[in-house]
Amino acid sequence: MKSYHHGNLKQELIDCACKMCERDGYTKLSIRSLAKESNVSQTAPYRHFKTKEDLYAEIAKEGFNKLYKTISKVKSKNIEENLIFLGEEYVAFGVKNANTYDLMFGTAVTDFTKYPHLFQAANQTYHHLLSLFTEYSSNKDSEFISETCIDLWAKMHGLVGLLRKLEVVPSKLLDMPDTPFMALNSINNDLNSYIKKFIRATQ
Amino acid sequence: MKSYHHGNLKQELIDCACKMCERDGYTKLSIRSLAKESNVSQTAPYRHFKTKEDLYAEIAKEGFNKLYKTISKVKSKNIEENLIFLGEEYVAFGVKNANTYDLMFGTAVTDFTKYPHLFQAANQTYHHLLSLFTEYSSNKDSEFISETCIDLWAKMHGLVGLLRKLEVVPSKLLDMPDTPFMALNSINNDLNSYIKKFIRATQ
DNA sequence: TTTTTAATGTTGACACTGCTAACATATTCA
DNA sequence: TGAATATGTTAGCAGTGTCAACATTAAAAA
């Protein structure tokens, strides 16, 4: 039944790669294993991705699109609630899709601008935050707004990075006051109120 | 002149690995290339590091020690100034030593607690921030303090992640108001006042 | 001091990787 | 219909992490 030409191999490879990346981490993802899992020859992916970085960029792009979808689900008419929702969803996304998040923000893809689709997907996400905060903020100075957006973003981004350590660390460390894990754990257990706090602090 | 036994190979390998890692990034660092650069046989490193992860852990440990040294250089008797100094040095370290920073906070070393020396080095860094902030804060509630430390840390950590993108991005994007890069760039150009702001905001 | 043992080095090999070249087959379009 | 192009396969290179077997030396035990 299987014909020589596949028909939709590129997208299928991307989908498969996304799954594999999230499952095993992008360092374990090899083009060969991807080809095997997709039932094509070892070098078939090279017809669609010139280098491994191209494949990474594709996965990262999908990641940003997924992130955008996630955080742009409007919940209520209250802007502040939406912002808080955005924050929660952002952090949850980063922790849940940790391996993909690595690809999106790490150094595996060095130059974003080499991949217009990726760049546009990433920027779309930023714009959503920007427009939501513009609506929210009483200070309408554009410099203030863009700087505060970076502020919020950095905090969410940093929090993702730190929270992920929680999942690796032995649970007994979560009670040790001499480590950052106790505080991280308590933040993690009530993420909503934590995010509420730092969004309200911007007003 | 060269004897069969090296004498101090382990530390020399670590030093060499640190240099190579920072120069090329940890993904490009191979045990074999490390061995070659250190003028020993391909498998000599395996007498000192069971796996590549062990080597990574060693590099990360050195990174934390270097970071600790950097941020703990006391500057003045004014605590706030010291905290600001810490923030600046932290962010500068992360941006300057980007590749090492990846190893310290990324997923290359999955379980910190497998490497007590690394864990201790990382914790030492956290403790320094904690004790400095304890001194600084007027609110002496320990929960407030530890949470705010995570806060500060997340922000510095997140900022490092975002600022690094600046170095990769084509410079023409730095003027585009539709991207986050303009705001990032202006923050980067006056890091001191930015950090001042967010440290004072904790008071 | 001598002898045994353990530490630290080397060579060779295996399975895996990214990637290229050469070739095979199917699709598109002049 | 036929030529150009897109998309697939097989074979192979150089480089990788890691292991087993062996060589040399330093440290410990006799």
Side-chain angles (χ1 to χ4, degrees):
Chain A
M1 279 311 126
K2 206 171 68 176
S3 62
Y4 192 88
H5 279 100
H6 188 285
N8 194 26
L9 183 56
K10 182 168 185 176
Q11 191 55 48
E12 233 172 76
L13 284 172
I14 292 173
D15 293 345
C16 187
C18 286
K19 269 181 217 153
M20 292 176 74
C21 169
E22 193 43 52
R23 195 186 58 205
D24 310 322
Y26 76 92
T27 45
K28 306 256 178 186
L29 172 63
S30 74
I31 290 184
R32 287 162 111 108
S33 62
L34 168 63
K36 191 175 264 179
E37 198 133 322
S38 302
N39 295 309
V40 285
S41 73
Q42 293 179 348
T43 57
Y46 282 92
R47 295 292 151 198
H48 304 281
F49 317 106
K50 265 189 188 163
T51 67
K52 207 181 175 188
E53 193 183 355
D54 286 14
L55 176 63
Y56 282 159
E58 222 55 69
I59 301 174
K61 190 200 76 181
E62 299 273 322
F64 273 111
N65 284 333
K66 200 175 157 194
L67 173 59
Y68 173 73
K69 253 188 215 162
T70 306
I71 65 171
S72 62
K73 276 186 228 143
V74 181
K75 215 183 176 184
S76 81
K77 277 201 160 184
N78 183 317
I79 305 165
E80 187 176 83
E81 270 177 37
N82 279 335
L83 254 184
I84 293 164
F85 177 74
L86 180 151
E88 282 187 286
E89 290 294 314
Y90 184 102
V91 174
F93 178 93
V95 173
K96 259 194 201 167
N97 305 74
N99 288 326
T100 308
Y101 194 86
D102 273 344
L103 223 40
M104 294 158 63
F105 288 97
T107 47
V109 181
T110 35
D111 186 1
F112 264 52
T113 54
K114 262 177 64 184
Y115 307 95
H117 284 83
L118 167 58
F119 183 73
Q120 126 77 15
N123 226 28
Q124 188 181 34
T125 310
Y126 168 71
H127 271 138
H128 185 68
L129 170 63
L130 190 66
S131 74
L132 210 57
F133 186 75
T134 304
E135 237 184 312
Y136 175 66
S137 175
S138 50
N139 183 342
K140 298 297 183 189
D141 176 59
S142 80
E143 264 191 47
F144 169 82
I145 284 179
S146 57
E147 191 173 302
T148 311
C149 274
I150 298 292
D151 232 66
L152 287 173
W153 191 11
K155 209 155 180 180
M156 298 188 299
H157 183 54
L159 198 57
V160 168
L162 298 182
L163 284 180
R164 287 172 57 181
K165 293 285 167 192
L166 273 185
E167 315 209 326
V168 189
V169 146
S171 54
K172 57 176 177 180
L173 281 180
L174 301 184
D175 299 323
M176 279 200 168
D178 253 16
T179 72
F181 302 115
M182 202 178 67
L184 273 170
N185 195 38
S186 84
I187 287 174
N188 194 36
N189 286 335
D190 193 2
L191 205 58
N192 180 277
S193 71
Y194 178 77
I195 288 174
K196 235 177 223 165
K197 229 184 285 176
F198 78 68
I199 281 180
R200 284 184 179 149
T202 61
Q203 268 290 29
Chain B
M1 280 312 127
K2 204 170 65 176
S3 63
Y4 192 90
H5 279 102
H6 188 285
N8 194 26
L9 183 56
K10 180 168 185 175
Q11 192 56 47
E12 234 172 75
L13 285 172
I14 292 173
D15 294 345
C16 187
C18 286
K19 267 181 219 154
M20 292 176 74
C21 168
E22 194 43 53
R23 196 186 56 206
D24 311 321
Y26 75 92
T27 45
K28 307 254 179 186
L29 172 63
S30 75
I31 290 184
R32 288 160 111 106
S33 63
L34 168 64
K36 191 175 264 181
E37 197 132 325
S38 302
N39 296 308
V40 285
S41 73
Q42 293 180 345
T43 58
Y46 280 91
R47 296 292 150 198
H48 304 283
F49 318 105
K50 267 188 187 164
T51 67
K52 208 182 174 187
E53 194 183 355
D54 286 15
L55 176 64
Y56 282 160
E58 220 57 67
I59 301 173
K61 190 201 76 181
E62 298 273 322
F64 274 111
N65 283 333
K66 200 176 159 193
L67 173 60
Y68 173 73
K69 251 188 216 162
T70 307
I71 65 171
S72 63
K73 275 186 228 142
V74 181
K75 215 182 175 186
S76 81
K77 278 203 162 183
N78 182 317
I79 304 164
E80 187 176 83
E81 270 178 36
N82 278 335
L83 253 185
I84 292 165
F85 177 74
L86 180 151
E88 282 187 287
E89 290 293 314
Y90 184 101
V91 174
F93 178 94
V95 173
K96 258 193 201 167
N97 305 74
N99 289 326
T100 308
Y101 194 86
D102 272 344
L103 223 40
M104 294 159 62
F105 288 97
T107 47
V109 182
T110 36
D111 187 1
F112 263 53
T113 55
K114 264 176 63 184
Y115 306 95
H117 283 83
L118 168 57
F119 183 73
Q120 126 78 13
N123 226 27
Q124 189 181 32
T125 311
Y126 168 71
H127 272 136
H128 185 67
L129 170 62
L130 190 66
S131 74
L132 211 58
F133 186 75
T134 304
E135 235 183 313
Y136 175 65
S137 176
S138 50
N139 182 342
K140 298 298 183 190
D141 175 58
S142 79
E143 263 191 49
F144 169 82
I145 285 178
S146 56
E147 192 174 301
T148 311
C149 274
I150 298 292
D151 232 65
L152 286 173
W153 193 9
K155 208 156 182 179
M156 298 188 300
H157 182 54
L159 199 57
V160 167
L162 298 183
L163 284 180
R164 287 173 57 183
K165 293 285 166 190
L166 273 184
E167 315 209 325
V168 189
V169 145
S171 54
K172 56 176 175 176
L173 281 180
L174 301 184
D175 298 325
M176 280 201 169
D178 251 17
T179 72
F181 302 115
M182 201 178 67
L184 272 170
N185 195 38
S186 85
I187 287 174
N188 194 36
N189 286 335
D190 193 3
L191 205 57
N192 180 278
S193 71
Y194 179 77
I195 287 174
K196 236 178 222 164
K197 229 184 284 176
F198 78 68
I199 282 178
R200 284 184 179 149
T202 62
Q203 266 291 29

